Amino acid sequence: MSAPLRIREAVVVEGRYDKAALSGVVDTLILETAGFGVFRDGERLAFLRKLAAKRGLIVLTDPDGAGFVIRNYLKGAIPKGQVKHAYVPDVCGKERRKRAPGREGKLGVEGMPPDVLRQAILNAGATVLDGDGPVRPAGDLTPADLFALGLSGTPDAAARRAALLRRLDLPEHMGAKALLAALNALYTPEELDKLLRE
């Protein structure tokens, strides 16, 4: 199997099984829409917009009607130059974890072989980064840094995280791990240092 593609853009998928399937294919931030949940979640949409403006976004949804409803919603909600679209082919079948095929009888993102997912990302025009090793997002924070900043592992960490999430207009339900990914995706170390001092 090929090494994961190091790409600049974040990728948005429908759910956690899609995210798991894609995590071995790309080395970047992968986010979920929670299916149709993104329609009711203004915070999640605001976060996707912020990521799209900062580093670009690739939308990868299932090839069924529901996937296209989600894709079209995001297409209308995010400026055109900030979003790219990756498509998987129509393949009849069902995912291993399911008892029966979906309503349209097509495999979703989670059921696609890694090489198909890789090609879909490349065909979307992903910005492939050169070099070896994992992608270093804009920031350079580690879990130890969050602890040192009092944003995890301390009695008042949840309250401090909540205040920071409000300050940065990020979804209020982000845990420490999701916050770390978001901070690293959106801010350089210098930008983050300035924000934290404010």
Side-chain angles (χ1 to χ4, degrees):
M1 187 170 140
S2 304
L5 278 175
R6 300 177 66 243
I7 64 172
R8 179 179 189 276
E9 296 86 358
V11 180
V12 63
V13 295
E14 292 180 53
R16 68 175 183 235
Y17 294 107
D18 300 332
K19 182 177 178 178
L22 196 59
S23 65
V25 175
V26 292
D27 186 357
T28 193
L29 182 61
I30 304 169
L31 302 150
E32 304 166 34
T33 66
F36 292 140
V38 73
F39 298 165
R40 301 177 304 280
D41 191 341
E43 287 181 338
R44 186 183 307 255
L45 183 59
F47 181 46
L48 292 175
R49 284 182 176 141
K50 189 177 274 197
L51 270 172
K54 186 75 174 184
R55 59 192 282 185
L57 198 64
I58 295 175
V59 176
L60 177 61
T61 59
D62 292 347
D64 58 10
F68 275 85
V69 168
I70 294 166
R71 180 185 298 278
N72 288 331
Y73 175 76
L74 293 174
K75 190 185 293 186
I78 298 170
K80 186 177 182 180
Q82 298 173 1
V83 66
K84 298 174 181 177
H85 293 273
Y87 298 90
V88 293
D90 281 346
V91 177
C92 292
K94 73 168 191 66
E95 285 81 11
R96 276 187 262 177
R97 71 178 178 84
K98 296 181 179 176
R99 287 194 178 121
R103 189 177 310 158
E104 295 179 31
K106 298 176 185 176
L107 285 179
V109 169
E110 72 173 276
M112 294 290 158
D115 58 322
V116 171
L117 295 175
R118 181 184 181 92
Q119 196 58 52
I121 294 294
L122 290 172
N123 290 346
T127 307
V128 178
L129 303 174
D130 294 327
D132 296 325
V135 170
R136 272 327 280 162
D140 212 8
L141 284 179
T142 66
D145 294 321
L146 284 191
F147 178 78
L149 294 167
L151 296 169
S152 70
T154 61
D156 64 340
R160 292 174 65 96
R161 259 195 329 272
L164 181 61
L165 290 169
R166 278 192 303 277
R167 165 79 173 82
L168 301 179
D169 291 322
L170 294 173
E172 68 176 314
H173 298 293
M174 272 189 169
K177 188 175 178 181
L179 174 61
L180 181 64
L183 292 175
N184 278 328
L186 292 169
Y187 302 102
T188 64
E190 296 77 26
E191 291 168 338
L192 189 56
D193 185 54
K194 184 180 176 190
L195 282 168
L196 292 173
R197 277 189 277 117
E198 290 171 0

